[in-house]
Amino acid sequence: MDRNAGQKSASHYLFAQIAPFDTRMLDVGDGHRVYVEQCGNPDGVPVVVFHGGPGGGCSPAMRRYFDPAVYRIILFDQRGCGRSTPHADVENNTTWHLLADIERIRTTLDIDRWLVFGGSWGATLALTYAITHPSRVAYLVLRGVFLMTRRELDWFYGGGAGAFWPDLWQDFAQMVPIAERNDLISAYHKRLFGEDRNTRIAFARAWAAWENALASIISNGPSAQSPAEYALAFSRLENHYFYNGGFLGHDSWIEQNLHKISHIPATIVQGRFDMICPPLSAWTVAQAMPKADLQMIPMSGHALSEPEITAALVHTMNLLRRKRDVLGM
C-alpha cells in the first residue's frame, strides 16, 4: 500500500516531524540486515510499528502517530525492503523469519513488553506475532485488517474489487494472457521472478499501481508511477508472500488461533469502504477478542493516511498514554 498517498490531507492530526535518536542495521542472519530506528522518549512506553506490504517499508510519517514525549517509537524495515538489505530479496524471507527478527529487535533493545501497532499486512504480522508471543504484547492497535486468507486474496486478485474498478482491473488483468487470468497471483509471480529485468519492472509497477489506486476512498484512478526499485521490492515481496499463503501452513490459520490472544486488549480502526481489506476481517477479529474495540470509520478507505483513520489512530494512542500502569508498562 502506498506509504505516502494523501498524507498531506491528514497531516494536521499528526505530531510534529521528529528525527530518530538511534538508527542501526541489525544483522538478523541468513545474509539479511534489517534497518531499525528509535524515536521519541528513550524511557517512554515502547511501541513497535509494523509496516504494510509486505515490502512497503516504513516512512518518517509513521513516527508522527505517537506523542514523542510519551512513547519510545520503534520502526523497522522488514527483510528485503526499505533500507534493509539485500533489496527485494525473497530468500529466507517468510513470516516466520520476520517474527524471529521482531524478537531479535525486542531483545536487542532490552524491551520486555511493548505496544504493537500495524495496518494491512502490518496487522497480519501483528496478530501472528501476538499469537506466537502473547506475553510480549501489552496492547494491539490494528488498522485495515488482513488475515491472509484465500477469501481475501480472491477478493482483490480474483475480480471482487475489480467489479467496482472495471477499468483499472482490465489494465491489471490484461498484462497476462487470457489463459492465465484465472490465477493472477501465479501469473504475476512468473513475471516478477523471471530473468528479464524490464519485464520484472513492468509487472512490478502494474502490481503496485492496482493496489495504490484503490487505497484511498477519494481515488478516481491510478496515481503516479512508482519508482522502479520501490516497485520491485513492494511487488516481489508482496507477491512472494501471497503466492505462498503467507507461509502460515493452512488457510484461516490466524482466525483459528485468535482464541490464544482473546485476553489481549486491542483497538481496531477499519475503513468502512476499504476496497483492499474489506471490513469482514476486522469484524471477525473483534468477535474473537472480547477486549477489542472495533471502530468502523465511515467514508474511509484503506490507507493509513485517510484523514479520519489517522485521527482515530492518533486519538487511540493519546488515550493509551494515560494507561501505562493499567497496561503493566
Side-chain angles (χ1 to χ4, degrees):
M1 297 68 183
D2 191 338
R3 297 174 297 167
N4 303 307
Q7 189 64 46
K8 290 182 180 178
S9 65
S11 62
H12 64 283
Y13 292 113
L14 301 174
F15 289 92
Q17 296 183 21
I18 54 173
F21 65 78
D22 170 55
T23 63
R24 64 184 78 191
M25 295 295 293
L26 186 63
D27 188 341
V28 293
D30 307 310
H32 286 272
R33 299 179 75 230
V34 169
Y35 171 83
V36 182
E37 68 176 42
Q38 299 188 79
C39 309
N41 182 351
D43 298 317
V45 179
V47 54
V48 62
V49 179
F50 296 168
H51 66 69
C58 59
S59 72
M62 294 177 182
R63 306 165 185 163
R64 301 176 61 194
Y65 286 76
F66 315 94
D67 184 342
V70 173
Y71 288 106
R72 178 183 178 187
I73 309 153
I74 298 104
L75 281 73
F76 70 101
D77 291 329
Q78 296 159 27
R79 292 191 183 201
C81 69
R83 288 146 289 191
S84 296
T85 60
H87 186 75
D89 187 32
V90 300
E91 292 296 320
N92 298 306
N93 196 334
T94 71
T95 303
W96 308 109
H97 287 103
L98 300 186
L99 296 181
D101 294 349
I102 294 163
E103 276 296 275
R104 182 167 299 203
I105 292 168
R106 184 187 63 77
T107 57
T108 298
L109 299 182
D110 195 26
I111 295 170
D112 181 47
R113 299 169 74 240
W114 48 10
L115 311 185
V116 178
F117 181 105
S120 195
W121 159 254
T124 317
L125 194 60
L127 288 165
T128 307
Y129 175 72
I131 288 167
T132 52
H133 300 282
S135 66
R136 302 305 178 186
V137 179
Y139 201 97
L140 286 167
V141 181
L142 309 176
R143 186 266 312 168
V145 175
F146 174 58
L147 298 177
M148 189 58 77
T149 63
R150 175 50 53 185
R151 179 193 73 236
E152 294 162 308
L153 294 175
D154 286 346
W155 160 262
F156 200 65
Y157 297 105
F164 291 85
W165 293 83
D167 48 346
L168 301 186
W169 176 251
Q170 177 177 279
D171 293 342
F172 180 66
Q174 70 182 7
M175 291 285 290
V176 301
I178 293 176
E180 297 183 59
R181 292 180 193 172
N182 64 321
D183 186 353
L184 288 175
I185 293 176
S186 294
Y188 267 76
H189 185 83
K190 180 179 178 181
R191 279 85 180 174
L192 287 169
F193 293 92
E195 295 184 0
D196 182 71
R197 176 174 169 80
N198 289 335
T199 299
R200 293 198 301 270
I201 291 173
F203 276 82
R205 282 175 163 159
W207 180 279
W210 166 240
E211 187 162 330
N212 286 342
L214 275 63
S216 173
I217 195 170
I218 64 171
S219 174
N220 195 33
S223 56
Q225 191 176 67
S226 298
E229 293 307 307
Y230 173 79
L232 281 170
F234 177 83
S235 302
R236 280 166 57 92
L237 284 167
E238 192 169 83
N239 179 275
H240 165 68
Y241 273 76
F242 295 173
Y243 181 79
N244 289 286
F247 302 93
L248 294 179
H250 60 82
D251 199 30
S252 301
W253 184 91
I254 294 175
E255 293 179 58
Q256 293 173 16
N257 283 282
L258 287 173
H259 66 279
K260 296 179 180 178
I261 56 172
S262 61
H263 62 289
I264 296 178
T267 296
I268 305 169
V269 176
Q270 177 69 42
R272 175 70 76 178
F273 297 99
D274 189 333
M275 281 285 168
I276 296 174
C277 298
L280 177 59
S281 294
W283 174 260
T284 299
V285 173
Q287 293 300 296
M289 297 181 66
K291 294 185 177 181
D293 172 29
L294 173 59
Q295 300 178 21
M296 287 286 191
I297 310 301
M299 298 307 296
S300 294
H302 179 74
L304 173 64
S305 56
E306 293 277 71
E308 297 309 315
I309 287 178
T310 291
L313 290 170
V314 172
H315 180 67
T316 294
M317 299 313 301
N318 286 343
L319 290 177
L320 290 176
R321 66 188 174 184
R322 296 193 291 269
K323 296 183 177 181
R324 186 168 189 168
D325 292 339
V326 174
L327 296 173
M329 304 296 289

Short mmCIF file of all heavy atoms in Angstrom, two decimals, residues 53-91:
data_model
loop_
_atom_site.label_atom_id
_atom_site.label_comp_id
_atom_site.label_asym_id
_atom_site.label_seq_id
_atom_site.Cartn_x
_atom_site.Cartn_y
_atom_site.Cartn_z
N GLY A 53 2.42 -3.98 3.26
CA GLY A 53 3.01 -4.65 2.10
C GLY A 53 2.51 -6.09 2.03
O GLY A 53 1.33 -6.30 1.76
N PRO A 54 3.40 -7.06 2.28
CA PRO A 54 4.81 -6.95 2.65
C PRO A 54 5.61 -6.19 1.59
O PRO A 54 5.27 -6.24 0.41
CB PRO A 54 5.28 -8.41 2.74
CG PRO A 54 4.03 -9.22 2.87
CD PRO A 54 2.98 -8.47 2.12
N GLY A 55 6.65 -5.52 2.03
CA GLY A 55 7.52 -4.83 1.11
C GLY A 55 7.36 -3.34 1.09
O GLY A 55 8.06 -2.65 0.35
N GLY A 56 6.44 -2.79 1.89
CA GLY A 56 6.18 -1.36 1.84
C GLY A 56 7.25 -0.51 2.50
O GLY A 56 7.50 0.61 2.08
N GLY A 57 7.89 -1.03 3.53
CA GLY A 57 8.87 -0.23 4.26
C GLY A 57 8.21 0.81 5.14
O GLY A 57 7.02 1.12 4.99
N CYS A 58 8.97 1.33 6.10
CA CYS A 58 8.44 2.37 6.97
C CYS A 58 8.83 3.75 6.43
O CYS A 58 9.73 3.87 5.60
CB CYS A 58 8.93 2.19 8.40
SG CYS A 58 10.72 2.20 8.62
N SER A 59 8.13 4.77 6.88
CA SER A 59 8.38 6.13 6.41
C SER A 59 8.40 7.08 7.60
O SER A 59 7.86 6.77 8.67
CB SER A 59 7.27 6.56 5.44
OG SER A 59 6.07 6.79 6.13
N PRO A 60 9.02 8.27 7.44
CA PRO A 60 9.05 9.24 8.54
C PRO A 60 7.68 9.61 9.07
O PRO A 60 7.54 9.92 10.26
CB PRO A 60 9.77 10.44 7.91
CG PRO A 60 10.64 9.85 6.85
CD PRO A 60 9.83 8.70 6.29
N ALA A 61 6.66 9.59 8.21
CA ALA A 61 5.31 9.95 8.66
C ALA A 61 4.80 9.01 9.74
O ALA A 61 4.00 9.41 10.59
CB ALA A 61 4.35 9.95 7.48
N MET A 62 5.27 7.76 9.74
CA MET A 62 4.79 6.79 10.71
C MET A 62 5.23 7.13 12.13
O MET A 62 4.63 6.65 13.10
CB MET A 62 5.27 5.39 10.33
CG MET A 62 4.66 4.88 9.04
SD MET A 62 5.31 3.26 8.58
CE MET A 62 4.45 2.99 7.02
N ARG A 63 6.27 7.95 12.27
CA ARG A 63 6.72 8.37 13.61
C ARG A 63 5.72 9.31 14.26
O ARG A 63 5.71 9.46 15.48
CB ARG A 63 8.06 9.10 13.50
CG ARG A 63 9.15 8.36 12.79
CD ARG A 63 10.30 9.31 12.43
NE ARG A 63 11.34 8.66 11.64
CZ ARG A 63 12.26 9.31 10.92
NH1 ARG A 63 12.26 10.64 10.91
NH2 ARG A 63 13.15 8.65 10.22
N ARG A 64 4.89 9.94 13.45
CA ARG A 64 4.11 11.08 13.90
C ARG A 64 2.74 10.72 14.49
O ARG A 64 1.96 11.60 14.84
CB ARG A 64 3.94 12.07 12.74
CG ARG A 64 5.27 12.58 12.20
CD ARG A 64 5.09 13.46 10.99
NE ARG A 64 4.28 14.64 11.34
CZ ARG A 64 3.73 15.45 10.43
NH1 ARG A 64 3.87 15.18 9.12
NH2 ARG A 64 3.03 16.50 10.81
N TYR A 65 2.45 9.43 14.61
CA TYR A 65 1.19 9.00 15.21
C TYR A 65 1.28 8.90 16.73
O TYR A 65 0.30 8.56 17.38
CB TYR A 65 0.77 7.65 14.61
CG TYR A 65 0.25 7.78 13.20
CD1 TYR A 65 1.12 7.98 12.13
CD2 TYR A 65 -1.11 7.77 12.93
CE1 TYR A 65 0.65 8.13 10.84
CE2 TYR A 65 -1.59 7.92 11.64
CZ TYR A 65 -0.71 8.10 10.60
OH TYR A 65 -1.17 8.28 9.32
N PHE A 66 2.45 9.21 17.28
CA PHE A 66 2.72 8.98 18.69
C PHE A 66 3.31 10.23 19.34
O PHE A 66 4.18 10.88 18.76
CB PHE A 66 3.71 7.82 18.84
CG PHE A 66 3.39 6.63 17.96
CD1 PHE A 66 4.00 6.51 16.71
CD2 PHE A 66 2.47 5.68 18.35
CE1 PHE A 66 3.70 5.44 15.88
CE2 PHE A 66 2.17 4.61 17.54
CZ PHE A 66 2.78 4.49 16.29
N ASP A 67 2.86 10.52 20.54
CA ASP A 67 3.40 11.65 21.30
C ASP A 67 4.87 11.34 21.64
O ASP A 67 5.15 10.41 22.41
CB ASP A 67 2.59 11.82 22.58
CG ASP A 67 3.02 13.03 23.40
OD1 ASP A 67 4.14 13.53 23.19
OD2 ASP A 67 2.23 13.46 24.26
N PRO A 68 5.82 12.09 21.08
CA PRO A 68 7.24 11.76 21.29
C PRO A 68 7.71 11.99 22.72
O PRO A 68 8.77 11.49 23.10
CB PRO A 68 7.97 12.68 20.31
CG PRO A 68 7.03 13.83 20.12
CD PRO A 68 5.65 13.26 20.20
N ALA A 69 6.93 12.72 23.51
CA ALA A 69 7.30 12.90 24.91
C ALA A 69 6.93 11.68 25.74
O ALA A 69 7.47 11.48 26.84
CB ALA A 69 6.60 14.14 25.47
N VAL A 70 6.02 10.86 25.22
CA VAL A 70 5.48 9.72 25.98
C VAL A 70 6.00 8.39 25.46
O VAL A 70 6.30 7.48 26.25
CB VAL A 70 3.95 9.73 25.92
CG1 VAL A 70 3.36 8.47 26.55
CG2 VAL A 70 3.40 10.98 26.60
N TYR A 71 6.14 8.26 24.16
CA TYR A 71 6.42 6.96 23.55
C TYR A 71 7.87 6.80 23.09
O TYR A 71 8.49 7.75 22.59
CB TYR A 71 5.49 6.74 22.36
CG TYR A 71 4.06 6.48 22.75
CD1 TYR A 71 3.08 7.45 22.57
CD2 TYR A 71 3.68 5.26 23.31
CE1 TYR A 71 1.76 7.22 22.94
CE2 TYR A 71 2.37 5.03 23.69
CZ TYR A 71 1.41 6.00 23.50
OH TYR A 71 0.11 5.77 23.87
N ARG A 72 8.36 5.60 23.25
CA ARG A 72 9.61 5.15 22.64
C ARG A 72 9.19 4.40 21.37
O ARG A 72 8.68 3.29 21.44
CB ARG A 72 10.37 4.24 23.60
CG ARG A 72 11.67 3.66 23.06
CD ARG A 72 12.27 2.71 24.09
NE ARG A 72 13.49 2.08 23.62
CZ ARG A 72 14.14 1.11 24.28
NH1 ARG A 72 13.67 0.69 25.45
NH2 ARG A 72 15.24 0.58 23.78
N ILE A 73 9.37 5.03 20.23
CA ILE A 73 8.79 4.58 18.97
C ILE A 73 9.82 3.79 18.18
O ILE A 73 10.88 4.32 17.83
CB ILE A 73 8.32 5.80 18.15
CG1 ILE A 73 7.44 6.72 19.00
CG2 ILE A 73 7.59 5.34 16.89
CD1 ILE A 73 7.46 8.17 18.55
N ILE A 74 9.53 2.53 17.92
CA ILE A 74 10.46 1.67 17.19
C ILE A 74 9.87 1.34 15.82
O ILE A 74 8.77 0.80 15.72
CB ILE A 74 10.73 0.36 17.97
CG1 ILE A 74 11.38 0.67 19.31
CG2 ILE A 74 11.62 -0.58 17.15
CD1 ILE A 74 10.46 0.55 20.49
N LEU A 75 10.59 1.73 14.78
CA LEU A 75 10.22 1.41 13.41
C LEU A 75 11.32 0.55 12.79
O LEU A 75 12.50 0.70 13.15
CB LEU A 75 10.04 2.67 12.57
CG LEU A 75 8.74 3.48 12.69
CD1 LEU A 75 8.70 4.23 14.01
CD2 LEU A 75 8.60 4.46 11.54
N PHE A 76 10.95 -0.32 11.87
CA PHE A 76 11.95 -1.10 11.15
C PHE A 76 11.43 -1.47 9.78
O PHE A 76 10.21 -1.55 9.56
CB PHE A 76 12.35 -2.35 11.94
CG PHE A 76 11.28 -3.42 12.02
CD1 PHE A 76 11.32 -4.54 11.20
CD2 PHE A 76 10.21 -3.30 12.91
CE1 PHE A 76 10.35 -5.53 11.28
CE2 PHE A 76 9.23 -4.28 12.99
CZ PHE A 76 9.29 -5.40 12.16
N ASP A 77 12.36 -1.63 8.86
CA ASP A 77 12.03 -2.11 7.52
C ASP A 77 12.18 -3.63 7.51
O ASP A 77 13.26 -4.15 7.84
CB ASP A 77 12.97 -1.50 6.47
CG ASP A 77 12.73 -0.01 6.26
OD1 ASP A 77 11.59 0.43 6.43
OD2 ASP A 77 13.70 0.69 5.93
N GLN A 78 11.13 -4.33 7.16
CA GLN A 78 11.18 -5.78 7.14
C GLN A 78 12.16 -6.28 6.07
O GLN A 78 12.60 -5.52 5.21
CB GLN A 78 9.77 -6.33 6.89
CG GLN A 78 8.79 -6.00 8.00
CD GLN A 78 7.33 -6.07 7.59
OE1 GLN A 78 6.97 -6.81 6.67
NE2 GLN A 78 6.48 -5.29 8.25
N ARG A 79 12.52 -7.52 6.15
CA ARG A 79 13.52 -8.08 5.24
C ARG A 79 13.21 -7.74 3.77
O ARG A 79 12.08 -7.87 3.31
CB ARG A 79 13.59 -9.60 5.37
CG ARG A 79 14.14 -10.09 6.69
CD ARG A 79 14.43 -11.58 6.66
NE ARG A 79 14.91 -12.04 7.97
CZ ARG A 79 15.61 -13.15 8.17
NH1 ARG A 79 15.90 -13.94 7.14
NH2 ARG A 79 16.01 -13.49 9.39
N GLY A 80 14.25 -7.28 3.08
CA GLY A 80 14.17 -7.10 1.64
C GLY A 80 13.61 -5.78 1.16
O GLY A 80 13.53 -5.56 -0.05
N CYS A 81 13.19 -4.89 2.07
CA CYS A 81 12.57 -3.64 1.61
C CYS A 81 13.09 -2.45 2.39
O CYS A 81 13.78 -2.58 3.40
CB CYS A 81 11.04 -3.73 1.70
SG CYS A 81 10.39 -3.77 3.39
N GLY A 82 12.72 -1.25 1.90
CA GLY A 82 13.18 -0.03 2.54
C GLY A 82 14.70 0.03 2.55
O GLY A 82 15.36 -0.17 1.54
N ARG A 83 15.26 0.26 3.73
CA ARG A 83 16.71 0.35 3.87
C ARG A 83 17.35 -0.97 4.27
O ARG A 83 18.58 -1.04 4.42
CB ARG A 83 17.05 1.44 4.88
CG ARG A 83 16.79 2.85 4.37
CD ARG A 83 16.33 3.81 5.43
NE ARG A 83 14.97 3.51 5.87
CZ ARG A 83 14.23 4.30 6.64
NH1 ARG A 83 14.72 5.45 7.04
NH2 ARG A 83 13.00 3.96 6.99
N SER A 84 16.54 -2.00 4.45
CA SER A 84 17.09 -3.32 4.77
C SER A 84 17.71 -3.94 3.53
O SER A 84 17.32 -3.63 2.40
CB SER A 84 15.99 -4.23 5.33
OG SER A 84 15.50 -3.73 6.57
N THR A 85 18.68 -4.81 3.76
CA THR A 85 19.40 -5.43 2.64
C THR A 85 19.46 -6.94 2.82
O THR A 85 19.39 -7.43 3.95
CB THR A 85 20.83 -4.87 2.55
OG1 THR A 85 21.53 -5.15 3.78
CG2 THR A 85 20.84 -3.37 2.30
N PRO A 86 19.59 -7.69 1.71
CA PRO A 86 19.62 -7.27 0.30
C PRO A 86 18.23 -6.85 -0.20
O PRO A 86 17.21 -7.39 0.23
CB PRO A 86 20.11 -8.52 -0.43
CG PRO A 86 19.76 -9.66 0.46
CD PRO A 86 19.81 -9.15 1.87
N HIS A 87 18.23 -5.89 -1.10
CA HIS A 87 17.00 -5.28 -1.58
C HIS A 87 16.18 -6.24 -2.43
O HIS A 87 16.71 -6.93 -3.31
CB HIS A 87 17.34 -4.03 -2.40
CG HIS A 87 16.16 -3.23 -2.83
ND1 HIS A 87 15.45 -2.43 -1.97
CD2 HIS A 87 15.55 -3.13 -4.04
CE1 HIS A 87 14.47 -1.85 -2.63
NE2 HIS A 87 14.50 -2.25 -3.88
N ALA A 88 14.87 -6.28 -2.16
CA ALA A 88 13.90 -7.07 -2.94
C ALA A 88 14.21 -8.56 -2.95
O ALA A 88 13.76 -9.29 -3.83
CB ALA A 88 13.81 -6.54 -4.38
N ASP A 89 14.94 -9.03 -1.96
CA ASP A 89 15.35 -10.43 -1.91
C ASP A 89 14.32 -11.26 -1.14
O ASP A 89 13.90 -10.88 -0.05
CB ASP A 89 16.72 -10.53 -1.23
CG ASP A 89 17.29 -11.92 -1.27
OD1 ASP A 89 17.03 -12.64 -2.26
OD2 ASP A 89 18.00 -12.31 -0.32
N VAL A 90 13.93 -12.39 -1.71
CA VAL A 90 12.92 -13.24 -1.08
C VAL A 90 13.51 -14.50 -0.46
O VAL A 90 12.78 -15.31 0.13
CB VAL A 90 11.80 -13.61 -2.07
CG1 VAL A 90 11.10 -12.37 -2.59
CG2 VAL A 90 12.33 -14.46 -3.23
N GLU A 91 14.81 -14.69 -0.60
CA GLU A 91 15.44 -15.85 0.03
C GLU A 91 15.43 -15.69 1.55
O GLU A 91 15.73 -14.62 2.07
CB GLU A 91 16.88 -16.01 -0.47
CG GLU A 91 16.99 -16.39 -1.94
CD GLU A 91 16.39 -17.76 -2.23
OE1 GLU A 91 16.58 -18.67 -1.40
OE2 GLU A 91 15.73 -17.89 -3.28
#
